[in-house]
């Protein structure tokens, strides 16, 4: 046991960060679990995610090296540990990754030396050196030599790992960002728990045991892999490391399982207390502890349980915890563990503490709903078993219950066992593996999109202070290729060394306008986008010619920019009004801001009533009338958070952020363009409110002149409605319309009664003209000017009166022939209503369907309908 056996996890985290800060690393805060501007990732799953652009070379790092304690989730897509959680000592859905990163400052020698110093020095972690094993890529002689000769690790504890995954560079010790791009060998550090644990050293046949545990991986990015598989040296090699906080805590606290560390012990005790459980080592307890952490941090970062994407994975995590929770207690308790979690996690759970109310509410709702779902699934399964052919439930059926409804396989097996039915486990695993394969394919890192356009020269955005300036063309792109010039009639992307055009970001669309240059050139800008540090102006060269190096006059469409800015400012006021009205559970889920309208998506479980919408409108317009200045300040991110600034989730923020303040009612991080004062917005009006997903609402609204136009249109419509109903007093308009609608309803009822009376007279005539075929009365007739619903009424009346009957009635409505067939119950063993209609549709085309006793069909072949009806009697003779 080494000196840091009793060291708490919070101290371990802080020690790691302080060590590398002393080595001149910049401390960078953990990024959100929602990867910023990276559609290739479902969740942040490694410390390097937020630095990916630096490693790719598409952006330049503002600091030479960095250190982080990054929150990570691995529960979906390519990196998925969900099924292993609770059954191994070290797999988690949520974990913290400690990492140090070099962007070209130091490489193998320094990275290895510092890792060894931190782990073994008595000043730091003081791990006995003889407990540490090293792996290197088999051809990475440089790393091997550093470990062996430089650090002094004996040869027998350094393992060379070759291409053990089946192809060149496919190795546990060769890291790749994707099929192409940055890659390189890595060196892993393992801790030996001792001979009391089963398992062999890395690279051996029993390496999967728990004795040797990987605690740190140091990646040396020194190559770029080309499409043909060859490796090209990178001009600036980088270092990316990752050490799991939970794993190093287990080592330093002298335990063999992460679940025995202080991070989990107190939480597991809380679970035991809530459920009166004595066996705290069972998988159910560990799964609940792990999944609670993941769910709480995901919700805190703005994800909500849903049926797709990240929300679907979150719901799976929560439901898996609930399923195992029901093994311990019949009462919901997961939501009661949020406060103990906050205490245990300390400073790392600051965002969880801020969103505590929201997290508790969502967990409680999921527990209540899923309890009902489990009951529903059990009933579905029992119904399937009642009609099952044979004594085995298919793997596909079991997987559908698991994947669609969340019914666990073990519960499916248990219910089936009660009915003497087995489950095709192999088929279930095949379906599960097929889903995993689809998830892996969907989550491959994609070098496409904006990454395809690489522009070396950055663009300086100067559009906050001006809408017009002169700038030099730094690059031109035409049909996906960089070119030196473009000619009239060509669509292209123009990059400028500086620009007043705002690039689409944070929900605000890109600016439009024009670029005017020499050679009589006029380039119409239709949209503006950012390509890493460069800003591209998308558009059409109306006349002339443009060359790289030309000086252009860039002019933003002032009217559209101003209207967009008003809408963007109103979006912030709407957000503030919603949070005032409904509390902190309201979080932005998306937005769109252009010159015509604003669209704001937010978390809220219910539709807004008309009264609530009016209250929100009133709040926003109150803010507008305050005419407060809209101020922006650039400050450190931590300072902005201390001021309570809200961050719209889709924006990516660096260490310096732009804080937008409107009076005392709105403070947010935002890089968009805005009005000067709230009064500039003039007027705010909600157009629509709707639901777009489970727990997500959408408001669309207009401002300024468009809001006034909307109001004027509504007034004009009220005047027109008043004229139509002959009521000039708007205060009495609703009452007048209600009276008219009630009158209309009464007339409809009277008309229906008259139609039914006429239909009954028609029924009497049909009965008088019925023919008898064997034991059935047969009525086949064409009803002129009939309605389909009346025909159904007549068929049901005839069946009831005749007792044993076959009825086929037809009519024509709006150029289509409609048929209603009715068969009394005693005859359906010989002929059904769909049988009768199929005979008709085979002659006439069209389609239909229904039950054995009543069915309906329609066709456009009206001309032959009478002849087809005439042939039915002979056909019935052959069937009866």
């Amino acid at each position: 046991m080494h000196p840091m056996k009793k060291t708490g996890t919070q101290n371990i985290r802080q020690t790691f960060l302080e060590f590398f800060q002393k080595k001149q690393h910049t401390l960078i805060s953990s990024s959100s679990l929602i990867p910023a501007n990276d559609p290739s990732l479902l969740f942040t799953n490694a410390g390097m995610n937020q630095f990916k652009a630096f490693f790719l070379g598409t952006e330049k790092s503002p600091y030479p090296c960095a250190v982080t304690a990054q929150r990570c989730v691995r529960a979906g897509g390519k990196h998925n540990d969900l099924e292993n959680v609770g059954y191994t000592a070290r797999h988690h859905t949520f974990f913290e990754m400690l990492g140090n990163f070099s962007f070209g400052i130091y490489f193998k020698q320094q990275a290895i030396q510092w890792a060894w110093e931190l782990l073994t020095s008595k000043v730091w972690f003081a791990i006995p050196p003889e407990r540490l094993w090293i792996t290197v890529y088999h051809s990475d002689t440089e790393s091997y030599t550093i470990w062996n000769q430089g650090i002094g690790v004996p040869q027998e504890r350094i393992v060379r790992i070759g291409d053990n995954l089946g192809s060149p560079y496919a190795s546990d010790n060769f890291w790749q960002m994707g099929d192409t791009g940055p890659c390189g060998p890595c060196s892993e550090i393992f801790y030996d728990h001792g001979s009391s644990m089963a398992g062999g050293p890395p690279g051996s046949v029993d390496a999967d045991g728990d004795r040797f545990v990987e605690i740190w991986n140091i990646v040396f990015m020194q190559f770029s892999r080309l499409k043909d598989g060859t490796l090209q040296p990178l001009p600036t090699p980088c270092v990316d490391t990752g050490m799991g906080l939970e794993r190093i805590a287990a080592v330093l606290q002298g335990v063999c399982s992460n679940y025995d560390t202080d991070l989990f012990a107190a939480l597991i005790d809380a679970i035991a207390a809530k459920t009166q459980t004595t066996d705290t080592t069972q998988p159910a307890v560990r799964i609940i502890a792990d999944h609670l952490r993941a769910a709480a941090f995901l919700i805190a970062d703005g994800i909500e349980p849903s049926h797709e994407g990240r929300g679907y994975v979150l719901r799976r995590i929560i439901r898996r915890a609930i399923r195992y929770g029901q093994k311990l207690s019949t009462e919901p308790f997961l939501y009661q563990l949020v406060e103990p979690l906050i205490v245990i996690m300390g400073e790392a759970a600051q965002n969880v503490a801020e969103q505590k109310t929201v997290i508790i509410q969502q967990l409680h709702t999921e527990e209540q709903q899923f309890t009902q779902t489990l009951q529903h699934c059990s009933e579905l399964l029992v119904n399937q078993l009642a009609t099952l052919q044979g004594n085995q439930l298919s793997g596909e059926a079991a997987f559908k219950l698991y994947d669609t409804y969340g019914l666990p396989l073990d519960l499916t097996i248990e219910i089936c066992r009660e009915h003497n039915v087995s489950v095709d486990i192999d088929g279930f695993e095949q379906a599960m593996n097929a889903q995993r394969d689809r998830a892996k394919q969907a989550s491959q890192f994609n070098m496409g999109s904006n990454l395809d356009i690489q522009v070396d020269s950055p663009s300086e955005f100067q559009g906050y202070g001006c809408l017009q300036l002169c700038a030099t063309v730094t690059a031109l792109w035409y049909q996906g290729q960089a070119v030196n010039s473009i000619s009239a009639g060509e669509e292209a992307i123009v990059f400028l060394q500086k620009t007043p055009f705002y690039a689409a970001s944070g929900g605000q669309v890109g600016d439009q306008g024009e670029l005017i240059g020499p050679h009589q050139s006029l380039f119409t800008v239709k949209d503006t986008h950012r390509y890493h540090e460069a800003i591209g102006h998308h558009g059409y060269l109306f006349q002339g010619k443009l060359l790289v190096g030309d000086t252009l006059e860039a002019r933003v469409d002032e009217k559209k920019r101003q209207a967009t800015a008003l809408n963007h400012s109103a979006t912030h006021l709407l957000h503030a009004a919603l949070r005032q009205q409904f509390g902190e559970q309201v979080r932005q889920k998306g937005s769109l801001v252009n010159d015509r309208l604003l669209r704001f998506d937010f978390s809220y479980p219910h539709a807004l009533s008309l009264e609530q919408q009016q209250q929100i409108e009133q709040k926003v317009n109150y803010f507008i009338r305050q005419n407060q200045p809209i101020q922006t300040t650039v400050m450190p991110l931590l300072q902005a958070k201390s001021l309570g600034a809200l961050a719209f989730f889709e924006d990516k923020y660096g260490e310096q952020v732009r804080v937008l303040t409107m009076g005392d009612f709105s403070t947010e991080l935002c890089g968009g363009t805005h009005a000067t004062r709230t009064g500039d917005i003039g007027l705010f009006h909600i157009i629509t409110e709707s639901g777009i997903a489970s727990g997500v609402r959408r408001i669309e609204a207009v401002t300024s002149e468009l809001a006034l136009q909307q109001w004027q249109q509504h007034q004009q419509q009220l005047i027109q409605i008043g004229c139509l109903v002959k009521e000039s007093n708007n205060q009495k308009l609703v009452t007048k319309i209600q009276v008219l609608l009630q009158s209309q309803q009464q007339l409809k009822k009277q008309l229906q009664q008259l139609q039914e009376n006429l239909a009954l007279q028609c029924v009497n005539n049909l009965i008088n003209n019925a023919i008898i075929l064997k034991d059935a009365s047969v009525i086949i007739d064409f009803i002129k000017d009939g309605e389909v619903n009346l025909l159904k009424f007549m068929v049901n009346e005839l069946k009831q009166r005749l007792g044993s009957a076959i009825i086929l009635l037809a009519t024509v409505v709006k150029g289509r022939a409609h048929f209603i067939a009715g068969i009394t119950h005693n005859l359906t063993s010989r002929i059904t209503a769909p049988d009768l209609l199929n005979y008709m549709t085979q002659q006439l085309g069209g389609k239909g369907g229904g039950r054995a006793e009543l069915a309906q069909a329609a066709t456009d072949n009206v001309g032959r309908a009478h002849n087809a009806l005439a042939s039915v009697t002979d056909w019935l003779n052959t069937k009866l």
Side-chain angles (χ1 to χ4, degrees):
M1 302 302 175
H2 45 75
M4 293 196 70
K5 172 188 172 184
K6 296 183 179 179
T7 297
T9 305
Q10 294 193 45
N11 289 333
I12 295 171
R13 182 194 302 112
Q14 190 58 36
T15 298
F16 178 89
L17 298 176
E18 287 179 358
F19 176 86
F20 281 102
Q21 283 180 282
K22 288 179 181 293
K23 306 297 185 184
Q24 307 306 310
H25 287 60
T26 302
L27 175 62
I28 305 299
S29 301
S30 172
S31 64
S32 168
L33 289 171
I34 305 173
N37 299 328
D38 191 348
S40 70
L41 289 175
L42 193 65
F43 300 113
T44 297
N45 57 29
M48 59 78 59
N49 290 162
Q50 66 171 309
F51 306 120
K52 184 182 287 186
F54 303 159
F55 292 131
L56 286 169
T58 56
E59 293 183 22
K60 185 177 180 180
S61 172
Y63 28 79
C65 43
V67 60
T68 65
Q70 175 64 52
R71 301 188 296 271
C72 300
V73 165
R74 292 184 181 176
K78 181 178 178 181
H79 301 287
N80 186 358
D81 292 334
L82 185 61
E83 302 303 329
N84 295 320
V85 171
Y87 294 94
T88 69
R90 54 185 182 270
H91 281 100
H92 303 289
T93 51
F94 172 86
F95 60 95
E96 288 184 79
M97 186 68 82
L98 306 174
N100 57 288
F101 308 89
S102 168
F103 309 112
I105 300 303
Y106 61 85
F107 202 45
K108 295 181 182 180
Q109 177 71 44
Q110 204 70 67
I112 291 173
Q113 181 180 328
W114 283 339
W116 190 257
E117 179 185 354
L118 176 62
L119 292 176
T120 64
S121 170
K122 293 181 180 180
V123 179
W124 299 102
F125 288 159
I127 297 175
E130 63 273 14
R131 288 291 188 97
L132 299 177
W133 284 62
I134 309 299
T135 65
V136 297
Y137 187 54
H138 70 109
S139 63
D140 187 7
T141 302
E142 182 183 357
S143 293
Y144 182 94
T145 302
I146 295 171
W147 281 116
N148 181 233
Q149 298 179 15
I151 301 299
V153 179
Q155 181 177 336
E156 60 269 20
R157 295 211 314 273
I158 306 177
V159 182
R160 291 180 181 267
I161 304 293
D163 297 325
N164 60 332
L165 301 180
S167 60
Y169 308 114
S171 168
D172 288 329
N173 279 73
F174 195 90
W175 183 89
Q176 303 178 78
M177 187 175 288
D179 294 334
T180 60
C183 60
C186 61
S187 185
E188 297 174 330
I189 305 174
F190 286 75
Y191 178 81
D192 179 5
H193 278 290
S195 57
S196 61
M197 301 288 291
S204 66
V205 293
D206 54 349
D208 289 336
D210 287 332
R211 175 175 173 178
F212 294 87
V213 177
E214 177 201 339
I215 58 173
W216 205 341
N217 186 16
I218 307 173
V219 178
F220 306 115
M221 276 185 265
Q222 61 186 109
F223 303 108
S224 178
R225 189 172 186 173
L226 306 181
K227 290 182 179 180
D228 62 4
T230 59
L231 301 185
Q232 211 174 56
L234 287 172
T236 307
C238 299
V239 173
D240 158 26
T241 83
M243 176 162 61
L245 176 61
E246 293 77 8
R247 294 191 182 189
I248 190 62
V251 168
L252 295 178
Q253 293 174 20
V255 295
C256 297
S257 170
N258 296 356
Y259 293 98
D260 292 330
T261 64
D262 63 340
L263 263 180
F264 284 95
L267 188 56
I268 286 173
D269 288 344
I271 294 169
K274 292 290 182 186
T275 61
Q276 303 300 307
T277 300
T278 56
D279 181 8
T280 57
T281 63
Q282 60 179 300
V285 174
R286 294 179 170 186
I287 288 169
I288 293 165
D290 172 273
H291 289 10
L292 172 68
R293 287 169 21 116
F297 278 91
L298 286 170
I299 295 171
D301 275 350
I303 302 171
E304 294 185 357
S306 68
H307 298 300
E308 59 185 10
R310 297 182 177 106
Y312 170 72
V313 178
L314 170 59
R315 176 161 283 166
R316 280 191 66 197
I317 293 171
I318 296 173
R319 289 187 169 186
R320 192 166 187 260
I322 295 169
R323 292 200 306 263
Y324 283 93
Q326 291 192 339
K327 293 176 180 289
L328 309 179
S329 172
T330 57
E331 295 296 323
F333 66 90
L334 196 64
Y335 71 98
Q336 299 177 24
L337 299 171
V338 175
E339 292 203 27
L341 173 67
I342 292 171
V343 174
I344 293 161
M345 293 296 294
E347 292 182 3
Q350 181 180 350
N351 61 331
V352 175
E354 292 170 354
Q355 297 297 320
K356 180 180 70 173
T357 304
V358 176
I359 296 167
I360 291 173
Q361 178 191 27
Q362 292 194 10
L363 287 177
H364 197 191
T365 299
E366 285 293 307
E367 285 188 278
Q368 292 174 321
Q369 291 178 348
F370 189 51
T371 300
Q372 298 173 351
T373 299
L374 277 178
Q375 181 179 353
H376 173 63
C377 290
S378 300
E379 293 173 357
L380 282 176
L381 178 54
V382 170
N383 291 336
Q384 284 188 25
L385 297 179
T387 59
L388 186 68
Q389 300 295 321
N391 61 353
Q392 186 180 63
L393 183 73
S394 71
E396 287 188 3
F399 179 73
K400 182 176 181 180
L401 287 168
Y402 168 76
D403 190 52
T404 305
Y405 302 104
L407 189 67
L409 179 62
D410 56 357
L411 187 53
T412 299
I413 293 172
E414 185 179 328
I415 296 172
C416 287
R417 187 183 299 118
E418 294 171 358
H419 292 76
N420 297 316
V421 172
S422 64
V423 178
D424 178 10
I425 306 298
D426 291 340
F428 178 89
E429 290 298 330
Q430 289 175 4
M432 177 72 81
N433 289 333
Q435 186 207 48
R436 286 172 177 157
D437 290 342
R438 290 192 296 271
K440 287 180 181 179
Q441 292 171 5
S443 65
Q444 294 297 314
F445 179 68
N446 184 356
M447 294 287 288
S449 186
N450 288 0
L451 299 178
D452 286 340
I453 296 180
Q454 306 288 343
V455 178
D456 294 333
S457 301
S459 303
E460 180 185 353
F461 175 63
Q462 297 187 356
Y464 293 132
C466 70
L467 298 179
Q468 184 174 328
L469 56 75
C470 291
T472 303
V473 177
T474 57
L476 296 168
W477 280 71
Y478 174 67
Q479 295 185 346
Q481 300 290 328
V483 296
N484 290 321
S485 65
I486 57 173
S487 301
E490 293 179 344
E491 292 186 0
I493 307 175
V494 179
F495 292 88
L496 302 177
Q497 144 251 353
K498 58 182 178 179
T499 179
F501 284 76
Y502 181 82
S505 179
Q508 179 176 333
V509 299
D511 276 335
Q512 298 182 3
E514 58 186 18
L515 306 176
I516 303 171
H519 323 294
Q520 297 183 333
S521 58
L522 174 60
F523 185 88
T524 302
V525 179
K526 296 298 183 183
D527 203 353
T528 309
H529 288 274
R530 181 175 290 277
Y531 296 84
H532 310 297
E533 296 301 309
I535 295 176
H537 307 74
H538 292 239
Y540 175 82
L541 188 58
F542 183 74
Q543 65 183 32
K545 188 175 183 179
L546 277 186
L547 305 173
V548 174
D550 281 350
T551 298
L552 308 181
E553 184 180 358
R555 297 177 180 174
V556 174
D557 185 320
E558 184 175 357
K559 185 176 180 180
K560 288 188 175 182
R561 162 69 84 83
Q562 179 64 17
T564 302
L566 297 180
N567 286 337
H568 200 159
S569 297
T571 303
H572 286 243
L573 297 182
L574 172 60
H575 194 187
L578 288 166
R579 289 173 69 89
Q580 275 195 15
Q581 184 78 8
F582 301 120
E584 292 184 359
Q585 63 175 308
V586 172
R587 293 177 66 97
Q588 183 192 358
K589 291 297 174 183
S591 67
L592 172 69
V593 179
N594 58 34
D595 61 310
R596 298 178 302 280
L597 57 78
L598 64 94
R599 187 181 74 201
F600 190 76
D601 301 338
F602 60 98
S603 56
Y604 194 67
H606 311 296
L608 271 60
S609 67
L610 180 60
E611 181 181 3
Q612 288 175 320
Q613 292 181 47
Q614 290 173 342
Q615 289 170 345
I616 296 298
E617 263 192 359
Q618 289 169 4
K619 284 181 182 294
V620 175
N621 282 302
Y622 169 78
F623 296 153
I624 291 171
R625 290 195 304 275
Q626 298 309 298
N627 198 28
Q628 291 291 327
I630 299 176
Q631 299 175 327
T632 57
T633 309
V634 177
M635 64 180 68
L637 179 60
L638 292 178
Q639 181 183 350
K641 288 184 175 180
S642 69
L643 294 175
L646 299 177
F648 279 17
F649 74 94
E650 70 264 34
D651 282 348
K652 178 181 178 181
Y653 299 110
E655 289 303 297
Q656 294 291 314
V657 295
R658 188 169 182 258
V659 179
L660 187 83
T661 304
M662 303 183 187
D664 60 356
F665 33 80
S666 177
T667 303
E668 299 191 21
L669 308 188
C670 184
T673 63
H674 287 273
T676 304
R677 305 184 72 92
T678 60
D680 298 342
I681 301 169
L683 183 65
F684 172 87
H685 174 58
I686 295 175
I687 304 173
T688 62
E689 190 277 339
S690 61
I692 60 169
S694 176
V696 181
R697 308 299 301 177
R698 168 173 291 174
I699 284 178
E700 292 189 352
V702 288
T703 65
S704 191
E705 292 183 11
L706 286 178
L708 180 60
Q709 290 174 14
Q710 283 278 336
W711 180 82
Q712 290 173 333
Q713 288 174 7
H714 291 165
Q715 288 297 108
Q716 186 64 32
Q717 288 167 353
L718 284 175
I719 293 171
Q720 292 173 351
I721 292 170
C723 292
L724 290 173
V725 300
K726 298 180 180 179
E727 177 58 68
S728 58
N729 188 339
N730 286 351
Q731 302 298 321
K732 300 179 180 179
L733 195 55
V734 173
T735 303
K736 182 65 177 286
I737 292 174
Q738 287 174 338
V739 170
L740 290 173
L741 289 174
Q742 290 171 358
S743 176
Q744 182 188 44
Q745 196 64 30
Q746 291 174 355
L747 290 172
K748 280 185 176 180
K749 289 180 180 179
Q750 292 173 6
L751 177 61
Q752 183 177 357
Q753 187 62 53
L754 287 172
Q755 289 175 332
E756 289 180 358
N757 290 339
L758 290 172
L760 289 174
Q761 293 179 20
C762 187
V763 165
N764 293 331
N765 294 332
L766 291 171
I767 291 174
N768 292 334
N769 294 322
I771 62 173
I772 305 298
L773 289 181
K774 297 183 181 179
D775 57 345
S777 297
V778 176
I779 296 175
I780 302 168
D781 209 335
F782 192 92
I783 308 299
K784 187 178 180 181
D785 299 326
E787 291 186 2
V788 175
N789 287 336
L790 280 178
L791 262 62
K792 288 182 182 179
F793 171 81
M794 294 167 65
V795 168
N796 287 327
E797 185 72 18
L798 287 166
K799 286 167 60 181
Q800 186 176 353
R801 289 201 198 180
L802 294 172
S804 179
I806 299 172
I807 304 150
L808 178 61
L809 300 182
T811 191
V812 174
V813 178
K814 295 182 179 179
R816 281 175 65 81
H818 295 263
F819 303 92
I820 306 294
I823 311 290
T824 52
H825 180 71
N826 64 308
L827 299 176
T828 54
S829 60
R830 287 180 275 172
I831 184 172
T832 66
D835 291 337
L836 182 52
L837 290 182
N838 285 338
Y839 169 74
M840 296 293 295
T841 54
Q842 286 172 5
Q843 300 179 67
L844 303 174
K847 57 184 178 179
R851 307 186 309 275
E853 297 180 27
L854 185 69
Q856 178 177 341
T859 177
D860 292 326
N861 198 345
V862 177
R864 295 179 56 192
H866 287 279
N867 292 335
L869 282 174
S871 68
V872 172
T873 303
D874 292 339
W875 179 77
L876 285 174
N877 266 318
T878 66
K879 296 296 179 181
L880 295 175

